[in-house]
Amino acid sequence: MTARERLRRTFARAGVAVVDGPPAAGTVVLALAGWVFDESLIAALVKRPGALLVAEDGTPVAVHVEANRVTEAAAALERGEEPAGLERLSLGDLAYNAALRKREPPVLVRLTPENVRAVEARTFAGSYKGVTDLVTKYWWPRPARIVTRWCAVAGLRPNHVTFIGFLFVLAAFWLFWRGQFGLGLVCAWIMTFLDTVDGKLARVTLTSSAIGNIFDHGIDLVHPPFWWWAWYVGCFGVAVAPDLAGLSLAVILAGYVLQRAEEGVFMRRFGFHIHSWRPFDSFFRLITARRNPNLLILTPAWAIGLPKAGFYLVALWTAISLVVHAVQLAQAFAMPRARVVSWLSL
């Protein structure tokens, strides 16, 4: 899309009406359409009347001013000058992104015909969460960028990709249940890849929606225990006996639910993700017993002909991760609430 269209979508998502002329009263946000803005920058500017946003080199690029100052402010921006009397906001002031759990300068780049692909790459990188699992963080970015661009050019929406991923969720469950672990793992890994693509597609094209967010995160939240249950059935049969296998299944299912509950308690109490609290917590998110790290255990176990051993290892790692999260939660509640803040926001 053009920078102008991207800016229009950004304003709309920030709840700001895009109009042809200034209103008679109130405040107005102005931005130079030749620049590509991270969505968080416009959202922050909308909340701060009397503010001026400057680029990394100090160039003024956007303002939030009273309606009676629109003409003056627009002329100053077009000349590359700062309107007088405004609070100056730099990229460093707005570097912490709580939604994506990372601290880095937001995207703010002048768009030219020569740097379109570079801006695309920078925008895609900016859509990534800073704290996530090691597969999503280190393996998927390059192929996901290629596929995300294909989807954007083809006109696919994020919900289309999410629905295709959901079909692979069902396929992996059925194949695990039947003991066809190899094909099931192929479907599972494709789903995890599409789970990366749909979120990035939503962020870079500014087409995410509340329904899409519920659909995507609802699938992510619900399906992993069903996969591990199906893996159990594929290895040991439908009946659950009070033996080591049955105990392992109970640990995996209960451990998953309790870990998510621990994360929810932390979020409700302190207002941010437990994985964003300290550097160790962010590191542990790379490997904690979630879907992708568990698949990294099951895949080589199947490859060497030991799917049952992989299942037991997932149970062990789930138990260890549950204990780690419990310790994190206990440590947080033992501290004064005001001292529990994300290290990424400091």
Side-chain angles (χ1 to χ4, degrees), residues 147-275:
V147 174
T148 298
R149 191 175 197 281
W150 288 346
C151 292
V153 172
L156 288 177
R157 296 183 67 83
N159 287 349
H160 298 151
V161 180
T162 303
F163 181 74
I164 296 171
F166 177 62
L167 297 180
F168 279 103
V169 166
L170 299 178
F173 173 81
W174 176 245
L175 291 165
F176 290 161
W177 187 277
R178 293 171 57 86
Q180 296 177 302
F181 299 117
L183 288 175
L185 286 167
V186 170
C187 291
W189 281 117
I190 292 174
M191 183 274 165
T192 69
F193 176 70
L194 294 178
D195 189 38
T196 292
V197 170
D198 61 6
K200 308 306 171 289
L201 181 63
R203 294 186 194 115
V204 300
T205 60
L206 302 176
T207 53
S208 59
S209 64
I211 293 177
N213 190 54
I214 293 172
F215 184 33
D216 180 33
H217 287 88
I219 292 172
D220 291 347
L221 182 66
V222 171
H223 82 267
F226 288 93
W227 277 5
W228 317 142
W229 173 40
W231 192 283
Y232 171 90
V233 172
C235 287
F236 306 103
V238 177
V240 180
D243 54 10
L244 180 60
L247 176 61
S248 296
L249 178 62
V251 168
I252 291 173
L253 299 183
Y256 177 80
V257 173
L258 290 173
Q259 280 188 81
R260 301 309 293 256
E262 289 170 336
E263 294 171 15
V265 169
F266 187 96
M267 171 69 83
R268 185 175 181 84
R269 171 68 174 173
F270 302 107
F272 64 96
H273 290 271
I274 191 171
H275 308 295

Side-chain angles (χ1 to χ4, degrees), residues 101-157:
R101 303 196 292 274
K102 63 181 179 181
R103 183 176 185 85
E104 68 177 24
V107 177
L108 180 57
V109 186
R110 189 192 300 272
L111 188 64
T112 68
E114 294 75 29
N115 72 352
V116 170
R117 287 302 178 91
V119 172
E120 282 184 357
R122 177 69 182 87
T123 304
F124 180 81
S127 72
Y128 246 85
K129 290 181 178 178
V131 180
T132 186
D133 66 88
L134 75 171
V135 176
T136 303
K137 190 175 183 71
Y138 298 117
W139 292 8
W140 288 154
R142 185 180 297 274
R145 179 188 163 199
I146 296 171
V147 174
T148 298
R149 191 175 197 281
W150 288 346
C151 292
V153 172
L156 288 177
R157 296 183 67 83

